[in-house]
């Protein structure tokens, strides 16, 4: 729920990054901060419900994959587990390109 509630925020920061309006460092920091806030909110809801499964959808799955990509980002990748800024942009375009196109059309 928290991820969906903040979908617009995610899309805005991703769009700014893909259009080179923010630095990669500022982008990674902002994206990961929002993800952590939403993760904590989801866990709090789960603890309150104690037995309700967390609902997942395509957007939430994309956010989770995007978090992993941010975590793997390095200015100077030195192994196969690190990715460059160009690779990070490619990942985010693939994960959010369609959603951004829809959001821009509205």
């Amino acid at each position: 729920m928290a991820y969906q509630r903040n979908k617009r925020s995610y899309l805005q920061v991703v769009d700014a990054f893909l259009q080179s309006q923010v630095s990669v460092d500022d982008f990674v920091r902002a994206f990961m901060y929002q993800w952590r806030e939403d993760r904590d909110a989801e866990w709090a809801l789960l603890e309150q419900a104690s037995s309700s499964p967390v609902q997942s959808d395509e957007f939430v799955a994309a956010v989770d994959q995007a978090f992993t990509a941010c975590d793997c980002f390095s200015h100077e990748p030195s192994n196969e587990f690190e990715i460059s800024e160009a690779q990070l942009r490619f990942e985010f375009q693939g994960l959010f390109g369609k959603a951004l196109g829809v959001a821009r059309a509205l």
Side-chain angles (χ1 to χ4, degrees), residues 49-61:
S50 72
S51 64
S52 297
V54 174
Q55 298 270 331
S56 188
D57 65 11
E58 189 176 317
F59 181 74
V60 174

Side-chain angles (χ1 to χ4, degrees), residues 72-87:
C72 293
F73 168 72
S74 174
H75 285 284
E76 297 179 21
S78 62
N79 63 53
E80 64 191 84
F81 303 108
E82 295 177 338
I83 63 173
S84 68
E85 181 176 347
Q87 290 168 305

Side-chain angles (χ1 to χ4, degrees), residues 6-17:
N6 293 312
K7 184 175 184 174
R8 186 176 205 171
S9 295
Y10 283 108
L11 293 177
Q12 286 174 338
V13 73
V14 169
D15 194 34
F17 172 63

Side-chain angles (χ1 to χ4, degrees), residues 4 9 15-17 19 38 43 61 66 91:
Q4 283 292 351
S9 295
D15 194 34
F17 172 63
Q19 294 190 39
D38 291 343
W43 276 107
E91 289 289 325

